[in-house]
Amino acid sequence: MAATKITTKSKHDEYPDDIFKETRMPIGDHIEELRKRMFAAIKWLLFFLIIGFVLDGIGESMKKPNFGVGKPMLKVITEPVETQVRDFYNRRIEKLAIDKLTATSTATPEEIATIKEKLKKHGNNLSELTQHERSLLRLVPESMPITLPTRPLAKALGLNPDNVTQEEVSLDAQVIPGRITVLSVKGDALIENRQYLGTLSVQEGFVVYFKVSILCSFVLASPFILFQFWAFVGAGLYPHEKKHVYSLFGPSVFLFLAGIFLCQFFVLPGAVKALLAFNEWLDLDPEIRLREWLGLALILPLVFGISFQTPLVMFALNRIGMFTAADYLAKWRQAIMVLAVFAALITPTPDVVTMMYLFVPMFGLYLIGIAVCHYFPPEFEAMEAEAAEEVAV
């Protein structure tokens, strides 16, 4: 019996002319590469998380609130809303003081006595008074008991303090209640006594601190995490394409951090101020919860950092030949629609103010991406242009 020769067909024989067949990776290798890169990224995240806890503990023991990671960053994140709400109440109290506490009372003592008798009759319910009657009472002083040390008082009056036998004296001071309220609000703002972000549960502060610590760790580890991401992408590319991927790593980190800093120090304060303007217009008191604010203040910077990758995505699609600079420029109207829908969907709040704060920079980056694709065209486009010039010659 003649022996039959069995030949096995190699997986590379399907495309014998493929010059890149030695660089192909099966799906199992891709999954293993993804697992390795994700594990390395998580290790970097945990490393910076532990470092942050240690630095926060050292800063607390040294009584230096600005030393650390999570705790100082929590102050930075809450500072925009704290500042804007404090200014909101300060503007309101100044307006009330000017409008309602600068005029002189035209009421006679008989009218004041009649109004107070009416109040007493109705259980001190101000709703029983007319608007005119309430305005007459605004500048009427009320009696407030106070206790003063007698020796400084005697000295101020030009008397001999040694002749004073009583240490304290009780008096009834005449004060205007509205002015005390104005001074109290101003005092809270000046000494930063009042906190304008509140918690509604005992564990809320604990959860918020860990969320902030994780965010800080992610930002600090972002160069290493983005390197693992681009390394995973590069593993599935041909050797001549990997150099383009590695060249995108530096701009990717820069744009990510630029988006985060722009959002933290410009967008969030501006968005809070614009949104509080509606409260001021409607004459409403903002009661802001810490967890709800952190839901916006933590997610929005990451959204900006990721969205700022737009020019790099455009450049990558241009490099592989899917879109050219001319295509991007011709479809700018469609790009506006896509970016507007994307900004509306990805921002965690439904208001148009926050959406516009994201949409405008993204469209600017879209235009920058067009310029980058125009001045750095793919190699095959450059070769075609050179060939066309040679034919023309």
Side-chain angles (χ1 to χ4, degrees):
M1 179 182 293
T4 30
K5 184 177 180 182
I6 300 176
T7 59
T8 58
K9 187 176 181 180
S10 171
K11 62 180 181 179
H12 303 309
D13 294 338
E14 185 177 356
Y15 303 102
D17 297 330
D18 188 0
I19 62 174
F20 303 109
K21 61 183 179 180
E22 299 299 331
T23 63
R24 294 185 181 276
M25 292 178 62
I27 185 65
D29 291 345
H30 277 293
I31 295 176
E32 177 62 23
E33 182 72 15
L34 176 62
R35 184 196 68 81
K36 183 176 70 173
R37 297 300 177 184
M38 288 183 63
F39 186 69
I42 292 173
K43 284 197 301 184
W44 280 110
L45 181 64
L46 292 176
F47 171 75
F48 283 101
L49 184 63
I50 295 173
I51 291 296
F53 290 153
V54 173
L55 293 179
D56 285 344
I58 295 175
E60 182 68 22
S61 62
M62 296 171 60
K63 304 299 181 184
K64 293 184 177 180
N66 295 326
F67 186 86
V69 178
K71 190 176 179 181
M73 196 60 195
L74 179 60
K75 182 64 177 176
V76 172
I77 291 175
T78 57
E79 184 66 22
V81 68
E82 289 275 358
T83 302
Q84 294 300 329
V85 176
R86 183 178 66 243
D87 292 343
F88 169 87
Y89 282 112
N90 200 41
R91 288 194 304 270
R92 168 180 285 184
I93 204 66
E94 286 287 351
K95 184 176 184 299
L96 291 175
I98 292 174
D99 293 346
K100 299 181 178 180
L101 295 178
T102 55
T104 57
S105 178
T106 59
T108 63
E110 292 76 13
E111 289 177 319
I112 296 299
T114 303
I115 295 173
K116 289 187 175 181
E117 185 64 28
K118 183 179 179 180
L119 266 178
K120 185 177 180 181
K121 180 180 177 181
H122 292 89
N124 291 319
N125 292 325
L126 291 174
S127 58
E128 298 296 333
L129 300 180
T130 64
Q131 181 67 31
H132 176 66
E133 290 173 334
R134 288 197 297 269
S135 65
L136 291 178
L137 288 178
R138 284 173 186 154
L139 295 177
V140 175
E142 296 286 344
S143 178
M144 185 179 73
I146 61 173
T147 301
L148 297 175
T150 54
R151 291 182 181 275
L153 183 61
K155 187 177 181 180
L157 295 174
L159 303 176
N160 187 1
D162 297 332
N163 296 333
V164 176
T165 58
Q166 188 176 350
E167 293 294 330
E168 295 179 342
V169 60
S170 297
L171 301 173
D172 285 336
Q174 298 296 308
V175 298
I176 299 176
R179 295 195 183 279
I180 294 179
T181 301
V182 171
L183 294 176
S184 176
V185 174
K186 287 184 176 180
D188 284 338
L190 290 174
I191 67 175
E192 300 181 356
N193 174 56
R194 180 180 174 184
Q195 302 299 318
Y196 298 96
L197 289 173
T199 60
L200 298 182
S201 61
V202 293
Q203 75 274 12
E204 189 168 332
F206 174 81
V207 174
V208 165
Y209 170 71
F210 269 89
K211 285 183 178 181
V212 173
S213 297
I214 292 174
L215 172 67
C216 294
S217 303
F218 185 83
V219 173
L220 293 174
S222 60
F224 307 97
I225 294 175
L226 289 173
F227 174 79
Q228 299 299 328
F229 168 76
W230 287 114
F232 170 72
V233 173
L237 300 178
Y238 294 133
H240 73 288
E241 296 174 333
K242 290 184 179 181
K243 61 179 182 180
H244 300 308
V245 170
Y246 295 146
S247 66
L248 295 178
F249 171 68
S252 177
V253 174
F254 172 77
L255 289 173
F256 181 78
L257 296 178
I260 288 178
F261 282 103
L262 176 69
C263 179
Q264 180 61 45
F265 296 105
F266 294 96
V267 174
L268 285 178
V272 172
K273 185 176 181 179
L275 295 174
L276 285 177
F278 287 95
N279 291 65
E280 194 169 0
W281 180 49
L282 298 172
D283 201 21
L284 299 175
D285 284 342
E287 296 291 339
I288 304 175
R289 186 178 176 183
L290 178 62
R291 190 176 71 179
E292 293 177 354
W293 166 250
L294 263 295
L296 173 65
L298 292 181
I299 295 176
L300 200 59
L302 294 179
V303 168
F304 267 73
I306 295 173
S307 301
F308 270 45
Q309 308 294 311
T310 302
L312 298 185
V313 175
M314 296 172 62
F315 180 74
L317 296 177
N318 175 255
R319 277 292 173 180
I320 62 178
M322 289 186 63
F323 297 100
T324 63
D327 295 332
Y328 288 131
L329 187 60
K331 299 182 182 300
W332 66 271
R333 295 180 180 84
Q334 294 89 330
I336 289 179
M337 178 62 67
V338 172
L339 292 177
V341 173
F342 175 79
L345 292 177
I346 201 169
T347 48
T349 56
D351 60 278
V352 69
V353 176
T354 309
M355 172 237 177
M356 291 302 296
Y357 268 113
L358 178 60
F359 167 74
V360 173
M362 284 187 64
F363 184 68
L365 291 171
Y366 180 82
L367 298 179
I368 293 175
I370 294 177
V372 171
C373 294
H374 175 73
Y375 286 106
F376 299 96
E379 294 179 357
F380 66 88
E381 283 191 3
M383 293 174 63
E384 290 176 357
E386 292 178 0
E389 290 180 1
E390 291 178 359
V391 170
V393 173

